[in-house]
Amino acid sequence: QVELVESGGGSVQSGGSLRLSCAASRYISTTYCMAWFRQAPGEGREEVAKFDSDGTTTYADSVKGRFTISHDNAENTLTLQMNSLKPEDTAKYYCALGAYYYHKCPYEYYGQGTQVTVSS
């Protein structure tokens, strides 16, 4: 079993910044993917940003240019730096972890989430 623990959520005014962290209890594979998802009340879950073990990063169009995902190998911690926050970024943010099997990387583990609230 792997534990993912998120931290860094909170409340901020529009235009502000927050930094989310997700500490993983162990590695599950040398080839893996990690991502940040978010879900607002009454909305579907959205993949915000993804980090692959080869260093590739991808972002949802809604956050490109404002959010940056990174991973610290030594600490096995995934980070999401969120700048220029908007009220529509308000949601519960979750990190996820998966391992690559035959070029696919289904997420197997999810954290409990951390709330981000952006006021106008």
Side-chain angles (χ1 to χ4, degrees):
Q1 188 64 19
V2 177
E3 187 177 17
L4 300 176
V5 180
E6 300 102 334
S7 61
S11 297
V12 67
Q13 288 194 326
S14 182
S17 298
L18 283 173
R19 186 179 181 89
L20 305 183
S21 293
C22 171
S25 59
R26 66 176 179 89
Y27 281 96
I28 61 173
S29 174
T30 56
T31 54
Y32 60 89
C33 56
M34 295 186 78
W36 287 99
F37 287 83
R38 68 185 179 187
Q39 187 164 21
E43 302 287 334
R45 188 175 62 183
E46 176 187 23
E47 183 175 305
V48 173
K50 179 181 177 182
F51 178 91
D52 281 307
S53 51
D54 66 357
T56 302
T57 58
T58 55
Y59 297 91
D61 287 344
S62 57
V63 306
K64 276 181 184 176
R66 300 188 297 123
F67 291 11
T68 302
I69 191 170
S70 60
H71 183 260
D72 183 323
N73 290 335
E75 299 292 330
N76 199 8
T77 297
L78 185 73
T79 298
L80 185 69
Q81 177 66 43
M82 305 186 295
N83 298 328
S84 302
L85 282 161
K86 305 174 181 180
E88 51 263 44
D89 294 319
T90 295
K92 195 165 187 179
Y93 286 68
Y94 302 85
C95 71
L97 169 66
Y100 269 93
Y101 301 100
Y102 298 102
H103 308 295
K104 292 186 178 180
C105 194
Y107 297 111
E108 300 172 61
Y109 304 98
Y110 291 84
Q112 293 299 306
T114 184
Q115 180 67 37
V116 170
T117 302
V118 184
S119 57
S120 57

